[in-house]
């Protein structure tokens, strides 16, 4: 199982945003929505071996985290507006039932990075970082890797420190800083190649 954790420093944890102007009204939740597509969808299907957490640190209800599990997810659409609409329907709820309560593979929990770390259980942590060693020359745990991804702002210092304490190995996907969803696509591609060789 490959898992991605995207830390949205400004992405709203409340459902009060407009689908007609997602970037300007949601604290750039659009960045995280694109990460969902990149992590979970392939041409004509879902990656059943992938999971994504969206850590929402912006807005009045923060922090809250959405977890989408590819093993059980249904109706995950590739277009940004549909995905954002589904996320808004989730976020307008008053309660956050927790990671163990999911509907069609989607769960909503109170809490941020620490809540995610508690939910992850057994895993090998990696942090995607432009200035790190290229992942192509790194040894990667193909069984249970977790990749932490920054948003349009990168990572806050407090998050970097928390991930360092966790022992997360910094990895780059290439010499150019790309968008968060593209970084996820490049990781997925590298893992697909390694799995095909194994
Ligand atoms: C748009 S980038 C962040 C840019 C931000 N201005 C910064 O300097 O951190 C969003 C996230 O994608 C990931 N990322 C982007 N390019 C990468 C690369 N070449 N290697 C590894 N991760 C990358 C990182 O996790 C980064 O925090």
């Amino acid at each position: 199982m490959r898992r991605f954790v995207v830390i949205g420093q400004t992405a709203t944890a409340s459902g009060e945003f407009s689908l007609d102007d997602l970037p300007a009204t949601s604290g750039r939740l659009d960045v995280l929505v694109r990460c969902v597509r990149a992590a979970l969808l392939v041409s004509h299907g879902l990656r059943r071996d992938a999971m994504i957490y969206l850590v929402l640190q912006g807005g009045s209800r923060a922090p809250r985290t959405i977890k989408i599990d590819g093993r059980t997810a249904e109706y995950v659409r590739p277009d940004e507006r549909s995905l954002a609409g589904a996320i808004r329907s989730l976020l307008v709820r008053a309660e956050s039932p927790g990671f163990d309560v999911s509907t069609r593979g989607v769960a909503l929990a109170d809490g941020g990075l620490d809540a995610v770390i508690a939910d992850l259980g057994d895993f090998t942590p990696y942090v995607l970082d432009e200035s790190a060693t290229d992942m192509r020359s790194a040894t990667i745990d193909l069984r249970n890797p977790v990749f932490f991804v920054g948003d349009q702002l990168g990572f806050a210092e407090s998050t970097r420190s928390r991930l360092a304490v966790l022992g997360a190995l910094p990895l780059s996907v290439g010499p150019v800083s790309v968008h968060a969803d593209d970084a996820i696509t490049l990781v997925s591609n590298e893992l697909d190649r390694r799995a095909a060789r194994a």
Side-chain angles (χ1 to χ4, degrees), residues 31 127-133 148-155 160 171-184 186-187:
V31 172
V127 55
L128 294 187
D129 180 342
E130 290 89 330
S131 59
T133 308
F148 293 89
V149 188
D151 64 1
Q152 75 285 354
L153 303 172
F155 291 103
R160 281 193 187 282
L171 290 177
S172 110
V173 294
V176 175
S177 181
V178 296
H179 291 285
D181 55 323
D182 292 332
I184 289 174
L186 289 165
V187 169

Side-chain angles (χ1 to χ4, degrees), residues 40 46 48 68-76 104-106:
L40 295 182
L46 263 160
R48 295 296 179 190
I68 310 177
D69 188 336
R71 290 172 299 190
T72 48
E74 292 174 37
Y75 311 119
V76 180
R104 298 194 197 99
V106 182

Side-chain angles (χ1 to χ4, degrees), residues 124-166:
T124 307
Y126 302 95
V127 55
L128 294 187
D129 180 342
E130 290 89 330
S131 59
T133 308
D134 194 313
M135 75 178 295
R136 290 200 174 169
S137 53
T139 301
I140 296 173
D141 169 19
L142 295 181
R143 199 181 52 84
N144 219 352
V146 174
F147 300 90
F148 293 89
V149 188
D151 64 1
Q152 75 285 354
L153 303 172
F155 291 103
E157 259 330 298
S158 55
T159 301
R160 281 193 187 282
S161 307
R162 183 71 183 88
L163 295 177
V165 168
L166 202 61

Side-chain angles (χ1 to χ4, degrees), residues 64 66-67 85-95 106-108:
R64 292 208 284 181
I66 295 171
K67 171 181 170 180
I87 286 175
R88 188 173 67 174
S89 303
L90 192 66
L91 292 176
V92 291
R93 293 185 195 166
E95 302 86 31
V106 182
L108 174 66

